[in-house]
Amino acid sequence: MFGIYLKRELSRRKKAALVIAMGLALGIALVITVNSVSAGMQQAQDKVLKSLYGLGTDMTVTKAQAAPSSNSSGRPKFDFDAKSSSSTKQSSDRVMTQGGQSLASSLVTKVSAQKGVASAVGALSLNVTKVDGSFTQGTAKSSTSSGSSGSSRQGGPGGGQGGGSTGAPQVQGGGASFDVNSYSVSGVDVTNQDLGPLATSKVTTGKTFTAAQTDAKVAVLSKSYAKENKYTVGKTLTISGTKYTIIGIATPDSSESTVDVYLPLKQAQTLGDAKNKVTTIYVKATDSKQITTVKTTIQKNISGTTVTTSADLASTVSGSLSTASNLATSVGKWLSIAVLVAAFLVAALLTSSAVSRRVREFGTLKALGWPSRKVTRQVVGESIVNGLIGGALGIAIGLGAAYAVTAISPKLTAELGNTGGGGMGGGPGGGGPGQQAVKNTMEIALSAPVSVTTIALAAGLAIAGGLIAGAMGGWRASRMRPADALRSVS
């Protein structure tokens, strides 16, 4: 009887049922969309952090760059000679450490021994500024001018007429043509590549370093740098007169790589005149929930260092990714709550209004012996069905909106300030002392993943909306008396 009556009443009041269902659907769809976009923002931020830290890296240990001495500007210096042959090409490389003050390699072992640290590896960041080109020598020519009439023709004692005079020699032609190229180099601990700068990329062409190549003259290049400079596996890369064989091309897991060339750590230390030195120590904690405790322990036991966690780095994210994330978490969240509350109220009011128009119906049912409990159950049942219909429509609309965002994949930019002491690579590609810290700009495609939890939340909201509307309408229906039905008869 309950099912038959329920089906008949919903079919009789299709328009009212559809209005209630659509109100709930819009609120639920907005909740799904905001939740999925927020999840996509979180994934985008995770990609940004992983592209800098690498999967598995929980924190880094660095040391702030010391101020330059009064007799040292810290700027690169290049020496060239003007040679007699204009066809002679000259080249000079300036290699400087960047990313903060150098740390002793022994600190890596000390950090590894700290409580809560699973593993730690050191890396050396370098900036190479290459200047190459040639000088073209000019030709010195003297100019001859004719004497003027007048006094120049008055010869001195024994003199005759004045002749031409020879002017100062002038240099004609000549000049210089030089090209400046700056790129980043990172020294990698080849015995543990799961941590460190190379952990953010995957070698897609060639091969990566082996544990035996701790001091080998080999290199892995980022895909973008290799493409720009037309390097392939097997070719050689020359840095400061040392030739390195390219053994692999690495593709970053997300966005663009912040490193152009990877070398074995010992080779990078030799290249940068930084024997037994590193600029960054990458740390993996034994428990991801104890990262703050591990950070405090390292800072306490190893003074003078800066420990940066993923949470610290996330606070430096700016750009459109940060703006959109803030909007999704603040404005979007409160907007979805407001729309959902409004949808619940509208559903409750419409249900209550529908009950008011069914006075004769409910009064007659009570006169026939229906208890108030049964009348209330009937109204609540109709409201729950309306809520489930609204929930199904809302889930469909929300999934459509989320898939549309994923299909469009709008591009967001993320800028990360250097939290590890600032770069030191003077010249192109690196800020000199006193300049602002270099920012890494990345472009991330936004997606909107929908989880099972979000679907379950939508279904729960649909049922809750139906219960709220049904409770309000059922309460009003239960208070009706058979006499009300007689008074409504015209």
Side-chain angles (χ1 to χ4, degrees):
M1 178 66 182
F2 173 76
I4 297 174
Y5 189 70
L6 178 66
K7 181 179 178 181
R8 190 188 68 182
E9 289 303 313
L10 289 175
S11 61
R12 282 176 53 194
R13 297 175 174 81
K14 291 180 180 178
K15 186 179 292 186
L18 185 61
V19 170
I20 295 173
M22 284 303 300
L24 292 172
L26 290 176
I28 292 169
L30 187 59
V31 170
I32 292 175
T33 305
V34 170
N35 271 275
S36 59
V37 171
S38 296
M41 297 291 181
Q42 186 61 48
Q43 286 186 358
Q45 287 188 333
D46 290 343
K47 286 182 180 179
V48 172
L49 299 181
K50 287 177 183 177
S51 69
L52 295 179
Y53 270 178
L55 185 64
T57 303
D58 294 317
M59 64 192 77
T60 59
V61 180
T62 56
K63 190 173 184 179
Q65 182 66 52
S69 58
S70 57
N71 58 354
S72 173
S73 65
R75 299 182 183 278
K77 181 181 179 182
F78 302 92
D79 296 319
F80 297 99
D81 294 323
K83 300 184 179 181
S84 58
S85 175
S86 61
S87 62
T88 302
K89 189 174 182 180
Q90 300 185 64
S91 178
S92 179
D93 291 341
R94 174 67 171 176
V95 181
M96 302 180 70
T97 59
Q98 66 174 4
Q101 192 173 342
S102 298
L103 303 167
S105 297
S106 57
L107 280 180
V108 178
T109 305
K110 190 174 181 180
V111 170
S112 300
Q114 299 301 308
K115 184 179 180 181
V117 175
S119 59
V121 297
L124 183 67
S125 298
L126 303 173
N127 179 270
V128 180
T129 304
K130 184 180 184 66
V131 179
D132 57 359
S134 60
F135 289 100
T136 302
Q137 290 187 337
T139 303
K141 293 184 179 181
S142 58
S143 59
T144 303
S145 59
S146 300
S148 60
S149 59
S151 61
S152 61
R153 292 185 179 181
Q154 301 294 329
Q161 291 183 346
S165 63
T166 302
Q170 296 180 350
V171 178
Q172 297 181 355
S177 176
F178 285 86
D179 180 56
V180 180
N181 179 30
S182 180
Y183 55 94
S184 58
V185 177
S186 185
V188 179
D189 185 347
V190 298
T191 62
N192 187 358
Q193 298 179 49
D194 292 334
L195 281 177
L198 194 53
T200 65
S201 302
K202 182 179 180 181
V203 177
T204 52
T205 305
K207 58 184 179 181
T208 189
F209 303 109
T210 63
Q213 294 175 322
T214 54
D215 200 18
K217 294 180 180 179
V218 291
V220 172
L221 271 59
S222 69
K223 183 179 179 180
S224 58
Y225 183 76
K227 182 179 180 181
E228 180 182 355
N229 294 276
K230 299 180 180 178
Y231 284 119
T232 57
V233 174
K235 287 189 175 183
T236 57
L237 170 69
T238 303
I239 306 176
S240 291
T242 304
K243 293 184 178 181
Y244 298 93
T245 302
I246 301 171
I247 62 172
I249 305 297
T251 302
D253 294 333
S254 63
S255 187
E256 292 294 325
S257 174
T258 55
V259 178
D260 298 317
V261 180
Y262 301 92
L263 298 177
L265 181 57
K266 286 188 177 180
Q267 280 294 322
Q269 289 171 339
T270 302
L271 187 65
D273 193 22
K275 186 177 180 180
N276 297 325
K277 298 287 186 180
V278 296
T279 52
T280 306
I281 300 175
Y282 294 79
V283 182
K284 181 179 181 180
T286 54
D287 186 358
S288 60
K289 297 180 180 178
Q290 300 296 324
I291 292 177
T292 304
T293 304
V294 176
K295 173 183 176 179
T296 304
T297 302
I298 295 175
Q299 288 178 324
K300 179 180 178 181
N301 297 334
I302 305 176
S303 60
T305 58
T306 301
V307 182
T308 308
T309 65
S310 298
D312 297 330
L313 197 60
S315 64
T316 69
V317 176
S318 60
S320 60
L321 174 60
S322 176
T323 303
S325 180
N326 292 335
L327 286 174
T329 54
S330 57
V331 178
K333 180 181 70 176
W334 290 112
L335 178 63
S336 62
I337 291 174
V339 171
L340 195 62
V341 170
F344 284 179
L345 289 176
V346 169
L349 291 174
L350 288 175
T351 302
S352 180
S353 176
V355 169
S356 299
R357 292 193 297 270
R358 297 167 69 182
V359 174
R360 289 178 57 189
E361 177 184 341
F362 291 130
T364 303
L365 289 174
K366 280 195 169 186
L368 293 174
W370 275 40
S372 297
R373 181 183 69 256
K374 197 171 182 179
V375 173
T376 302
R377 188 183 68 172
Q378 185 68 39
V379 175
V380 172
E382 294 175 8
S383 298
I384 290 178
V385 171
N386 285 334
L388 292 175
I389 295 173
L393 290 173
I395 290 173
I397 297 172
L399 287 175
Y403 288 143
V405 172
T406 303
I408 297 172
S409 295
K411 303 293 183 181
L412 300 176
T413 57
E415 294 181 354
L416 286 102
N418 194 337
T419 59
M424 176 65 186
Q435 296 182 0
Q436 293 182 345
V438 178
K439 285 190 175 182
N440 297 312
T441 302
M442 299 181 182
E443 194 174 74
I444 303 292
L446 178 65
S447 62
V450 181
S451 64
V452 178
T453 305
T454 303
I455 299 296
L457 174 64
L461 290 173
I463 295 173
L467 286 173
I468 292 172
M472 192 168 179
W475 172 79
R476 186 163 186 175
S478 65
R479 292 172 61 85
M480 290 184 179
R481 298 172 300 171
D484 296 330
L486 297 176
R487 281 198 298 266
S488 66
V489 177
S490 57

